[in-house]
Amino acid sequence: PAKSTLTVEKPFSGHVEGVLLDKTEATLVKGETLTLTATVMPEAATNKNVTWTSSNEAAATVANGVVTAVASGKTTITVKTEEGEFTATCAVTVITPVTGVTLDKSEAALTKGQTLTLVATVAPAEADNKTIIWSSSNEAAATVTNGVVKAVASGKATITAKTEDGEFTATCAVTVTTPVTGVELDKTELTLTEGDTETLTATVVPADADNMNVTWSS
């Protein structure tokens, strides 16, 4: 006998069966916007109305699927169907990037052995990564560690503060001098007869002082 198969399809009711978002996670910069697209299933569902919410509006808000990054932080954007209350979510991270850096001094004069603390100010104040990388163009003259400049020897050096985020830079021109701290003569007294000469030798201290000039007088 012949056999036949009969398939009976359940008529579509028009009811919502779920919802999807085109993104499940996103990273935004403060001030940026992102439009999320919600797809209500099935396509032929009658009621496609949805509502949008943000779990942390201090970080990001949402209106009709448009997410606006407010400030650094994390939030979960949720779309919910009016019918059936099906939900889908997108995890959003908001970051605030560095836009620049300044130093409290653009130039400085130091004497050998002195130290100077430079203060770097990263903009904006709420930037996430305020890490500064310090460097000296001439460590024989001056070194720098965490903004503390140490005068090593006479010379010039450019101290640079560079942001880790964005690599913005600010500089301070440092001049190091070695001042004279004293002078000595090889003799403290002389006895001469008329017509005699004697040469005195003056030693300026320290030996690496910048200005070794002396004047003589009687």
Side-chain angles (χ1 to χ4, degrees), residues 87-107:
T87 61
T89 61
C90 178
V92 173
T93 300
V94 179
I95 59 174
T96 304
V98 172
T99 58
V101 62
T102 56
L103 285 175
D104 59 332
K105 291 181 175 62
S106 59
E107 58 182 28

Side-chain angles (χ1 to χ4, degrees), residues 111-114 139-143 150-154 176 178 208:
T111 58
K112 179 181 176 180
Q114 273 190 327
E139 292 195 338
T143 60
K150 182 177 181 180
V152 178
S154 296
V176 179
T178 304
D208 58 347

Side-chain angles (χ1 to χ4, degrees), residues 123-160:
E126 67 271 22
D128 293 309
N129 185 355
K130 292 185 177 182
T131 301
I132 296 291
I133 301 166
W134 296 90
S135 62
S136 168
S137 65
N138 180 13
E139 292 195 338
T143 60
V144 61
T145 304
N146 295 327
V148 179
V149 181
K150 182 177 181 180
V152 178
S154 296
K156 295 180 182 292
T158 299
I159 304 301
T160 300

Side-chain angles (χ1 to χ4, degrees), residues 32-215:
E32 277 189 334
T33 60
L34 168 69
T35 300
L36 294 175
T37 301
T39 302
V40 177
M41 301 178 296
E43 184 178 348
T46 304
N47 185 352
K48 293 190 176 183
N49 293 333
V50 295
T51 56
W52 297 87
T53 56
S54 168
S55 65
N56 179 14
E57 293 195 338
T61 59
V62 62
N64 298 322
V66 179
V67 181
T68 301
V70 177
S72 296
K74 295 180 182 292
T75 188
T76 299
I77 302 300
T78 301
V79 62
K80 181 170 68 174
T81 62
E82 184 177 72
E83 180 187 332
E85 296 189 347
F86 296 97
T87 61
T89 61
C90 178
V92 173
T93 300
V94 179
I95 59 174
T96 304
V98 172
T99 58
V101 62
T102 56
L103 285 175
D104 59 332
K105 291 181 175 62
S106 59
E107 58 182 28
L110 300 177
T111 58
K112 179 181 176 180
Q114 273 190 327
T115 60
L116 166 70
T117 300
L118 293 175
V119 178
T121 302
V122 175
E126 67 271 22
D128 293 309
N129 185 355
K130 292 185 177 182
T131 301
I132 296 291
I133 301 166
W134 296 90
S135 62
S136 168
S137 65
N138 180 13
E139 292 195 338
T143 60
V144 61
T145 304
N146 295 327
V148 179
V149 181
K150 182 177 181 180
V152 178
S154 296
K156 295 180 182 292
T158 299
I159 304 301
T160 300
K162 181 172 71 174
T163 62
E164 187 175 70
D165 177 12
E167 296 189 348
F168 295 95
T169 60
T171 60
C172 177
V174 173
T175 301
V176 179
T177 58
T178 304
V180 172
T181 59
V183 63
E184 298 173 351
L185 286 175
D186 59 333
K187 294 182 175 65
T188 58
E189 58 181 35
L190 284 173
T191 300
L192 299 176
T193 58
E194 184 179 351
D196 285 346
T197 62
E198 184 76 29
T199 300
L200 293 174
T201 301
T203 302
V204 176
V205 181
D208 58 347
D210 293 315
N211 186 353
M212 306 287 280
N213 295 328
V214 297
T215 57

